[in-house]
Amino acid sequence: MKHLEISDDDAVRLLLDEAEVAPSEQLESSLLALRSAGKASSAPEPSGELMVFMTTTPAPAPVVPLRRHRNVRGALMVAAALAGTGLGVSGVAAANPDFRTAADQAVHNVVGFFAPSAAGKAERADHAEHGVPAGIPAAPDRTQPNDDSGPETGTGSDSNRPADPAADPATDAAHPAPPGHSLTPGQSPETPGGNRSVKSDPNGAERDPVTPFRGLLPGTPPLDGTLPDPTKPDPPKDKPGKGLPLEDGSLPSPDPGRIPELPVAPEPQR
Amino acid sequence: MLSDDVVSAAQSGKAEAFSEIYAALAPGINGYLKVRGLEDHEGAVQEVFLALFSRIGSVRGGFTGLRTLAFSIAHARYVDDVRRRARQPQLSPYDPDADRRAVASAETALLETLGESDIGRHLKELKPDQQEVLLLRVVADLTLEQVAEIMGRSTGSIKQLQRRALLKLKSVVERKEALL
């Protein structure tokens, strides 16, 4: 839309008509001089801030990062540090013969567990035959008499050593019960190394590792919910140890000379 | 007068449109501020256009609305200058012998530009409101409604002020003419 331009004379005349003022030559000349004074002034040069609006700014150049490979270099440094750490740990571990033995055993266990080969099956069967599950090192043979065992007092001072040699788990592990022979009450379920012994029953099914002797120990009802028969006699209890008085209060041997002497503590020197 | 398309182009960010607007409005605003007596009227013109271009997106009414907004900003700058001068009064007495200024004041320059008509001196015999109405109507070429919007008054009061200003100016001019 283009606005109509009017001359200065017409503008002054319209102004006087609008104000209802009688026109005069002196007044019109004064108003024309005032109007031309405003138009005569030239526009000042625009400042730099105004020139920003009045000049077309070229499109900014694409920004190129100066350090483009920063991420790649960081990843390489991290990978080098991890590789160095891994090599160091591997070298230290390879220099330790115990570690190699343990690693071989662990590899065998893992391989035999996930992909049991013929050799693995044979090995597991061999372990099962000896009463030791696959994956657990065989217990050392402890049938030989121990030199530092000393006289048996039967007091149970050594908690790791059972009072009854017949109940020795090591011996039991070394000589497992033949097939078809169940465990008798009083046999220790622990292996010498403290590992829980999971033995197979005659049918080949493995026993519950959590409650391996439930139903076998006196006073523990079986899991099938049946109660023990009250007409049946109680299973035999544990025998007293050697040197201990019997249940009726009598000594196991009437000979007082066979009663072990109790050690006497030396009197403190003053 | 520019077309409304120029304003639309400026609102869309075209640099040529800004240049056209500046070339069309800057002389009038500069003359208005110079007649009003601002010392640094050219610097005030820069400030007016900076504010105008910053707010050009909110302009309504085409070029007429843009022109009204431009003179509104110029009027506000003039009011600010008057208030600033009122807050900083000249405490020391003026000594013409000590005045080393070689540049004439804005009013002196205006009077020089007005030439033989002596319209500057005639305007000084009017009241400030009457001067403002006449300058906005004659120099800025604004309508009554636009002047009323700028000065914050009703159109009727502006029309009354304009009538009294013209009658006063007429009497002054005719009296000067009679004296000569």
Side-chain angles (χ1 to χ4, degrees), chain B residues 72 75 136 145-155 157-158:
Chain B
S72 298
H75 175 72
L136 290 175
E145 290 77 12
Q146 291 169 337
V147 173
E149 181 181 350
I150 290 172
M151 296 183 66
R153 295 192 177 191
S154 63
T155 307
S157 64
I158 294 297

Side-chain angles (χ1 to χ4, degrees), chain A residues 5 18 20 42 44-45, chain B residues 1 22 30 46 137 163 170:
Chain A
E5 291 284 351
E18 189 181 59
E20 298 176 355
S42 60
E45 285 295 321
Chain B
M1 296 285 282
Y22 184 82
N30 186 33
Q46 309 288 338
R137 289 283 287 154
R163 175 178 168 80
K170 183 180 178 181

